[in-house]
Amino acid sequence: MLSTDMMRPFQTLYNRTQFLAPQIRKLYKSFHSTEYRFVKEPSTVSTFFDPVTGGILTRRVAESEHTETENEKNPISSKTPGSDYADGLKDDRSYGSVMKGNLGSGSGSRRAGFGVSKKKSKNKTTWVCSDCGYNDGQWWGYCRECKSVGTMNEFTEIDNGGKTSGFQVSENIVRSWLPKGSTGEAGPLRLTDVNRGVNHLEWRFPLPGLFGDEVSRVLGGGLVPGSLVLIGGDPGVGKSTLMLQIAALIAEGENIGKPAPVLYVSGEESVEQIGNRADRMDINTDELFLYSSTDIEDILGKAHGLSLRALIIDSIQTVQLTGVTGSAGGIYQVRECTAALLRFAKKTNVPVFLIGHVTKSGDIAGPRVLEHIVDAVLYMEGEQYSSHRLLRAFKNRFGSTDELGVFEMSPTGLKAITNPSEIFLSEEHSDSEVLAGLAMTVIMDGSRTFVIQIQALCAPGISLSKQVNGVQAGKANLIISVLMKQAGLKLQSSAIFLNVIGGATLNETAGDLAVAAAICSSFLEFPIPSNVAFIGEIGLGGELRMVPKMEKRVGTVAKLGYKKCIVPNLAKKVLQGLDFGELEILGCSNLKDVINNVFVKS
């Protein structure tokens, strides 16, 4: 049996183990019930003599503990052996320690070895569709709103300390831009009360002159007060020239009342450059104000003191709003600037024009939501080597989208064309044996009719090929196949070339008959008289079909002095009883009837 002196060390070790067991269990539970983030802290290693064990121990101490008091640095030297010695063991740093993330701050809450750092605030990332403007918190590969693929772009909303950013625009700031008395809240009104006393014929702003008539036609009859109009087009097509002429017409106030101020704001040109263009176009209106700025707050502040009749922004991609994420032209900037201008237009009843850039594909740059916000979207078109310009409406809340304005670019600006039906016609060579393969037809663009000339060339004995310009390749192949199968023409050994004069494009079926007639004329070497027109669609069986708005098409060729018009039999029955002057309407049922009636010598 062991003596009492021999048992004393074992008894002391047993007592210490029993005391530390609850502390270890408590630390274990705390470690597994709390989320930790470990950050390695710099530390130092020191050695000391333990009088209980009589040995040398190693201790790892964090640098943060060097700021504590001497008693906190070395608790063993200030504590007596016994139960208090456990507190010293709890501070042992031989393998580091962990700390709960929600402990108090200060050096007393720090621990050596691995410490805890607070999570940094992350910037908000949003994925925005470039087509419709839909935004999502994560990337899906496609837009969940418009189902477009590859249109989701990543944007990061930076945390700038509580300032306005991203999608947030303070309504109080916007209200400060608006004129006094325009920010009051209005309640619901009865429809009868809204329309009472309103003369819709005098509600719009009429634009005088031939130029003004063309623009008014596209707008639906005139300019609506408080409307927001977006005008797009390719670079150099004449958007700024168009808007400068419209601004001059509105400022002069003819047929509107007395002259009133119109503000033309450009973010791309200086005031001197705009004035130089106005001088070249012979515009010297006193009430037309020019201003160069890219800050929406500044622009609307200047507009507040002028009592404007209209406001023009050139362009929406160059202006920006302070406090909104991104630079000018970005998705956020374009959307918020347009929304601010929309509120300005609706609350002040001042019409606002926006000029928009276009992308490589021809779409207006910026989010698709831009086109949803505005009241009307006008697009200006023009061929690179042609002086003609077409202004059409793709969206119009106050009129039809079928209208089309036709202009001609001149050194002094845009001029309206009095008879747009003839702009695609070339010189007439009546009954010429050399110019076989020419046929006339009438196409429609919106509510406007255009007479176009189609050329065909059948060249036998060369490499077999088909070249088309202005006609859809699939449509050309269909008509050629029908001519071979149903009309019996031996076109297999000929190369066929098709062209539309004047750079026009044949997109509707009303020109099918003219394409077939031009091919027959070239193949048979039989010129068609220049006073004959062809209107109709061709079916796969060689039959002729009626096309819409036949009365208006036939009336156009009658006004231009044509003597004969070839149409389907059904169209001739519909047009019976209508007066077309000296125009003879000839009805045919199929392609063989057309060949037997047209390609015969009188």
Side-chain angles (χ1 to χ4, degrees):
M1 184 174 180
L2 297 177
S3 63
T4 304
D5 294 336
M6 296 177 64
M7 287 291 297
R8 186 177 293 111
F10 295 98
Q11 186 66 32
T12 303
L13 180 61
Y14 176 80
N15 294 336
R16 291 174 182 174
T17 305
Q18 294 298 317
F19 177 83
L20 289 177
Q23 305 297 330
I24 294 174
R25 286 196 296 269
K26 181 178 179 181
L27 182 61
Y28 178 85
K29 292 180 180 180
S30 175
F31 177 79
H32 284 276
S33 62
T34 310
E35 180 183 0
Y36 297 92
R37 294 187 63 197
F38 299 95
V39 178
K40 183 68 176 179
E41 292 188 5
S43 60
T44 59
V45 179
S46 61
T47 59
F48 63 94
F49 174 75
D50 186 1
V52 176
T53 61
I56 302 298
L57 300 180
T58 302
R59 180 185 183 191
R60 185 182 298 274
V61 182
E63 291 184 357
S64 59
E65 291 195 358
H66 290 292
T67 59
E68 300 177 357
T69 61
E70 185 67 23
N71 292 334
E72 292 174 335
K73 286 184 181 180
N74 192 3
I76 299 178
S77 61
S78 60
K79 293 182 181 290
T80 59
S83 62
D84 292 340
Y85 179 65
D87 296 336
L89 293 179
K90 287 193 293 183
D91 286 338
D92 190 283
R93 300 297 185 263
S94 298
Y95 296 98
S97 62
V98 296
M99 170 183 163
K100 295 175 63 174
N102 57 356
L103 291 178
S105 60
S107 60
S109 64
R110 303 285 296 181
R111 291 295 185 268
F114 291 92
V116 178
S117 65
K118 296 182 179 179
K119 294 183 179 180
K120 297 182 179 179
S121 60
K122 295 183 179 180
N123 299 328
K124 182 180 179 181
T125 301
T126 306
W127 296 85
V128 183
C129 177
S130 59
D131 283 352
C132 66
Y134 171 77
N135 62 85
D136 205 325
Q138 68 182 71
W139 183 78
W140 292 93
Y142 70 100
C143 178
R144 302 172 71 184
E145 182 69 21
C146 65
K147 309 303 179 184
S148 299
V149 179
T151 59
M152 300 300 290
N153 299 317
E154 182 180 6
F155 291 89
T156 302
E157 181 180 350
I158 301 175
D159 185 7
N160 54 6
K163 297 181 180 179
T164 304
S165 61
F167 297 106
Q168 300 177 353
V169 176
S170 174
E171 183 66 21
N172 295 330
I173 298 177
V174 174
R175 289 180 178 179
S176 66
W177 302 338
L178 301 176
K180 296 179 180 179
S182 62
T183 60
E185 299 294 338
L189 299 176
R190 291 188 178 90
L191 176 62
T192 54
D193 295 338
V194 174
N195 293 330
R196 183 180 295 116
V198 177
N199 187 354
H200 292 280
L201 297 178
E202 300 177 356
W203 181 46
R204 301 172 182 260
F205 292 162
L207 302 178
L210 293 176
F211 175 83
D213 290 341
E214 288 294 310
V215 177
S216 297
R217 173 195 292 270
V218 180
L219 290 174
L223 182 59
V224 175
S227 59
L228 184 62
V229 182
L230 175 64
I231 297 180
D234 295 332
V237 75
K239 302 184 296 294
S240 299
T241 301
L242 173 69
M243 293 313 307
L244 194 58
Q245 290 183 250
I246 293 177
L249 286 180
I250 299 175
E252 289 173 356
E254 186 178 347
N255 299 332
I256 303 177
K258 63 180 182 179
V262 175
L263 179 60
Y264 186 101
V265 181
S266 177
E268 303 173 344
E269 299 177 285
S270 64
V271 174
E272 291 75 15
Q273 291 173 328
I274 305 173
N276 186 24
R277 184 192 301 119
D279 183 67
R280 174 174 53 85
M281 299 167 58
D282 196 21
I283 296 176
N284 50 10
T285 306
D286 292 336
E287 294 298 330
L288 179 57
F289 293 84
L290 307 179
Y291 189 55
S292 179
S293 178
T294 59
D295 189 358
I296 287 292
E297 297 185 47
D298 180 44
I299 293 172
L300 296 182
K302 296 297 188 296
H304 173 41
L306 290 178
S307 299
L308 296 179
R309 179 174 286 169
L311 173 63
I312 299 173
I313 306 295
D314 184 9
S315 64
I316 187 60
Q317 279 81 16
T318 60
V319 296
Q320 59 184 350
L321 190 63
T322 304
V324 176
T325 301
S327 59
I331 290 181
Y332 291 169
Q333 287 285 355
V334 170
R335 184 176 64 180
E336 297 300 340
C337 290
T338 305
L341 292 170
L342 176 66
R343 289 192 290 270
F344 172 82
K346 300 306 179 184
K347 291 180 179 294
T348 61
N349 222 26
V350 174
V352 178
F353 288 90
L354 306 177
I355 296 179
H357 297 166
V358 296
T359 60
K360 293 185 297 183
S361 61
D363 298 327
I364 296 179
R368 183 66 67 177
V369 70
L370 173 64
E371 300 180 30
H372 292 289
I373 293 176
V374 299
D375 296 317
V377 178
L378 310 183
Y379 200 88
M380 199 170 187
E381 303 173 353
E383 295 293 334
Q384 183 178 3
Y385 302 105
S386 174
S387 60
H388 296 112
R389 300 290 186 268
L390 304 179
L391 182 66
R392 66 176 75 250
F394 284 94
K395 172 188 176 181
N396 192 356
R397 290 174 177 166
F398 311 112
S400 174
T401 56
D402 292 335
E403 299 296 342
L404 181 72
V406 184
F407 305 90
E408 183 178 7
M409 182 64 75
S410 67
T412 57
L414 292 169
K415 293 184 178 180
I417 297 179
T418 55
N419 190 4
S421 300
E422 298 179 313
I423 65 175
F424 297 114
L425 295 181
S426 61
E427 297 180 2
E428 296 183 0
H429 301 273
S430 178
D431 299 330
S432 174
E433 297 181 358
V434 180
L435 296 178
L438 300 182
M440 314 299 296
T441 188
V442 181
I443 62 174
M444 296 200 67
D445 195 331
S447 63
R448 309 298 287 266
T449 56
F450 298 94
V451 179
I452 62 173
Q453 191 176 48
I454 298 176
Q455 291 179 319
L457 175 62
C458 296
I462 64 175
S463 59
L464 301 180
S465 62
K466 299 181 182 65
Q467 298 292 333
V468 295
N469 182 28
V471 182
Q472 298 177 2
K475 175 64 69 174
N477 292 332
L478 185 149
I479 295 174
I480 293 172
S481 300
V482 172
L483 285 173
M484 291 190 294
K485 177 68 176 179
Q486 307 298 341
L489 297 183
K490 305 299 182 181
L491 301 174
Q492 296 88 340
S493 60
S494 299
I496 301 175
F497 303 88
L498 292 174
N499 179 48
V500 180
I501 300 276
T505 302
L506 184 61
N507 293 322
E508 60 172 336
T509 58
D512 291 356
L513 184 56
V515 173
I519 295 174
C520 292
S521 174
S522 178
F523 181 77
L524 300 174
E525 297 183 356
F526 192 104
I528 300 175
S530 59
N531 58 2
V532 178
F534 300 84
I535 304 174
E537 179 184 357
I538 297 178
L540 293 178
E543 75 279 8
L544 302 187
R545 298 177 177 272
M546 188 173 174
V547 296
K549 301 181 180 179
M550 182 65 74
E551 179 182 350
K552 193 167 186 177
R553 300 174 194 266
V554 176
T556 299
V557 297
K559 291 179 182 179
L560 295 177
Y562 285 77
K563 302 300 182 182
K564 183 182 292 186
C565 184
I566 312 299
V567 298
N569 277 331
L570 179 59
K572 182 179 179 180
K573 297 178 181 179
V574 174
L575 298 174
Q576 285 181 351
L578 301 178
D579 184 16
F580 295 107
E582 299 179 358
L583 179 67
E584 177 188 357
I585 300 178
L586 179 61
C588 298
S589 59
N590 50 46
L591 285 176
K592 290 184 178 180
D593 288 347
V594 175
I595 295 175
N596 294 332
N597 284 279
V598 176
F599 299 100
V600 293
K601 295 183 179 180
S602 58

